[in-house]
């Protein structure tokens, strides 16, 4: 078999030190999609991730000049660019579907294929499509192509989402921002990344009133564009805190602690001491973590599904039991098999997983998706002996400078041919 680029990790080092969370992947992707409504924008604190690179490819294809200097992205529309998004960019990530709302509002239509992204066990887009239809979109499926048009332009609507889908809320919000009418969204998602998108759209001149679950948008024909600083990535921040916890270390992360209440509560239950300041969280771990009791993933402000795998890795070697209930993506268990191969004792039944702490031993591991990838790396950092990890491209979709940051904290981790 040919060599693959992967990671070599020797477990057992205590992680100690301070890191700063990058800009949030899940905030910058919808903001870049919303940029199709503007002539240009300047996005600061933009993480250097492969999913961001895909968004930039799509924006170039849609007529934008895209430049990056450090962590600042500059976008400027050079031509009308109302054209379909090629299937290879649609399939490269889930967030490419977020271009739909903006393209419908500005161009009156677009054809695209269903998006790709992490395989979390079925990721339909019915809520996106039904919400846009309520604004006047006509969407038909022809084979693998969605033909989306708004023959007489989109109109305002009162849309009630039956589930607070993050992506559907964002698509609808972007479509509503580019439609000169009033749109009311109820049952909306309330994730901090939605609030960041609202901040960006307000900066572009859109009037938006928002309270948890309800958003009222007074859209416009043309948006001015603005300079926006992306909020810190709460999932990345919690991943580094969990890395400190699982290695018995002491890690401080500069981030927005207000967005981390649920994971911080779990880390405290596992025996970690946590000190919170205005813009940082400092964790000191006990020598051995305790089981976390019950962890139930829920829409924000509940415990994030994106941290379920990472916290399972943290609990795998702890003393005692942790019970997981996955209500957001009920079949998001791809990491379980990898953790078991290290010695983890986990039983899955439907949307539940029961874990009993056990000693972990390093082995050959694979990243099956973005957060599962982070989880196996954390487990390997805590395990006895050496591990190899392949499937690095998954991690690079969502963690900027991952290996460098872990090494800075004292991990023995290198990129290697495996
Ligand atoms: C976003 C995040 C992802 C996170 C998830 C939940 C981005 C780029 N991704 O994904 O990291 O794990 O929120 O916090 O921001 N659903 C439907 N029909 C739809 C849409 C969703 O049935 O049309 C279901 C999904 O299958 C899933 C649940 O709703 O079971 C939540 O999905 P959603 O909130 O839409 O997640 P994403 O926006 O895909």
């Amino acid at each position: 078999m040919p060599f693959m680029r992967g990671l070599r990790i020797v477990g057992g080092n205590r992680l100690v030190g301070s890191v700063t969370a990058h800009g949030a992947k899940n905030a910058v992707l919808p903001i870049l999609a919303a940029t199709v409504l503007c002539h240009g924008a300047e996005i600061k604190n933009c993480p250097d991730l492969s999913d961001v690179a895909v968004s930039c490819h799509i924006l170039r294809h849609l007529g934008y000049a895209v430049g990056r200097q450090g962590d600042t992205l500059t976008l400027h529309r050079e031509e009308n660019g109302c054209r379909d998004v090629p299937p290879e960019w649609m399939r490269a990530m889930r967030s490419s579907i977020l271009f739909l709302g903006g393209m419908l509002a500005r161009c009156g239509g677009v054809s695209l294929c269903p998006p790709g992204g992490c395989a979390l066990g079925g990721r339909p887009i019915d809520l996106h499509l039904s919400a846009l239809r309520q604004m006047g979109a006509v969407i038909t499926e022809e084979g693998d192509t969605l033909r989306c048009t708004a023959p007489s332009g989109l109109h305002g609507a009162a849309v009630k989402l039956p589930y607070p889908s993050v992506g559907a809320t964002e698509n609808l919000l972007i479509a509503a921002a580019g439609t000169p009418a009033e749109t009311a969204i109820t049952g909306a998602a309330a994730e901090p990344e939605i609030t960041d998108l609202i901040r960006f759209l307000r900066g572009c001149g859109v009037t938006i009133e928002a309270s948890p679950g309800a958003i009222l948008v007074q859209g416009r024909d043309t948006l001015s564009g603005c300079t926006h600083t992306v909020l810190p990535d709460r999932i990345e921040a919690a991943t580094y805190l969990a890395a400190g916890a699982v290695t018995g270390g002491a890690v401080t992360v500069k981030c927005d602690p207000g967005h981390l209440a649920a994971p911080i509560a779990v880390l405290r239950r596992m025996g970690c001491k946590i000190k919170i300041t205005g813009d940082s969280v400092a964790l000191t771990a006990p020598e051995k973590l305790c089981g976390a009791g019950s962890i139930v993933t829920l829409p924000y402000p509940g415990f994030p599904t994106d941290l379920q795998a990472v916290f399972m890795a943290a609990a795998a070697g702890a003393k005692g039991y942790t019970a997981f209930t996955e209500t957001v993506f009920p079949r998001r268990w791809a990491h379980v098999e990898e953790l078991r191969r290290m010695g983890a004792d986990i039983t899955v039944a439907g949307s539940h997983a029961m874990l009993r702490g056990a000693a972990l031993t390093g082995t050959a591991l694979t990243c099956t998706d973005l957060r599962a990838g982070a989880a196996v790396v954390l487990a390997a950092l805590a395990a006895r002996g050496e591990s190899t990890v392949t499937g690095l491209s998954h991690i690079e979709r969502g963690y900027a400078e991952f290996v460098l940051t872990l090494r800075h904290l004292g991990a023995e981790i290198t990129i290697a041919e495996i």
Side-chain angles (χ1 to χ4, degrees), residues 26 94-95 123-128 165-167 305-306 328-329:
N26 287 355
R94 170 85 176 167
S95 295
R123 298 184 77 177
I125 52 167
D126 55 316
L127 300 176
H128 299 235
S165 154
V166 174
T305 175
D306 281 350
V328 182
F329 292 103

Side-chain angles (χ1 to χ4, degrees), residues 1-8 365-366 388-392 415-418:
M1 227 169 70
F3 288 119
M4 274 188 286
R5 204 169 61 97
L7 299 173
R8 200 174 294 285
L365 300 159
T366 305
T388 56
V389 181
T390 53
L392 206 49
I415 295 184
E417 296 289 328
I418 289 161

Side-chain angles (χ1 to χ4, degrees), residues 15-28:
L15 298 200
V16 178
S18 300
V19 300
T20 300
H22 293 84
K25 165 180 101 69
N26 287 355
V28 76

Side-chain angles (χ1 to χ4, degrees), residues 180-396:
E182 191 172 278
T183 298
I185 312 173
T186 50
E191 267 65 6
E193 294 76 21
I194 303 268
T195 311
D196 210 37
L197 174 61
I198 291 174
R199 267 199 319 121
F200 172 76
L201 292 169
R202 280 186 184 140
C204 295
V206 182
T207 304
I208 305 179
E209 285 172 39
S211 55
I215 305 173
L216 187 66
V217 184
Q218 185 61 54
R220 304 165 65 111
D221 245 339
T222 48
L223 273 64
S224 59
C226 69
T227 295
H228 179 84
T229 303
V230 178
L231 92 171
D233 195 314
R234 63 196 168 103
I235 306 299
E236 184 199 20
T239 301
Y240 290 126
L241 292 174
V246 76
T247 59
V251 168
T252 300
V253 185
K254 196 161 177 241
C255 59
D256 187 335
H259 298 156
L260 289 167
I264 285 173
V266 172
L267 288 166
R268 283 191 166 131
R269 288 210 302 269
M270 295 177 88
C272 297
K273 289 202 169 66
I274 306 256
K275 248 175 55 193
I276 298 173
T277 68
D279 67 352
S280 75
V281 179
L283 170 143
T284 309
E287 217 168 282
K288 195 163 176 69
L289 293 172
C290 314
S294 168
I295 295 180
V296 182
T297 68
L298 286 167
Y300 189 82
F303 187 89
T305 175
D306 281 350
L307 289 173
Q308 180 254 109
V310 167
F311 274 60
M312 188 177 280
K319 195 172 79 194
Y321 290 86
T322 306
F324 293 85
T325 302
E326 177 55 76
T327 76
V328 182
F329 292 103
R331 286 183 285 148
R332 190 175 195 169
W333 302 122
H335 46 287
V336 168
E337 198 42 51
E338 297 302 302
L339 296 175
R340 275 192 192 132
R341 294 196 305 105
M342 304 179 83
D345 180 352
I346 306 164
T347 311
V348 174
S351 59
H352 302 278
M354 178 55 87
L355 177 152
R356 189 171 63 156
L360 302 188
T361 311
T363 187
L365 300 159
T366 305
C367 304
T368 49
D369 65 65
L370 165 57
R371 307 302 172 188
V376 298
V377 169
L378 259 57
L381 290 172
R384 196 157 36 87
E386 184 176 300
S387 297
T388 56
V389 181
T390 53
L392 206 49
S393 59
H394 287 293
I395 292 179
E396 289 166 346

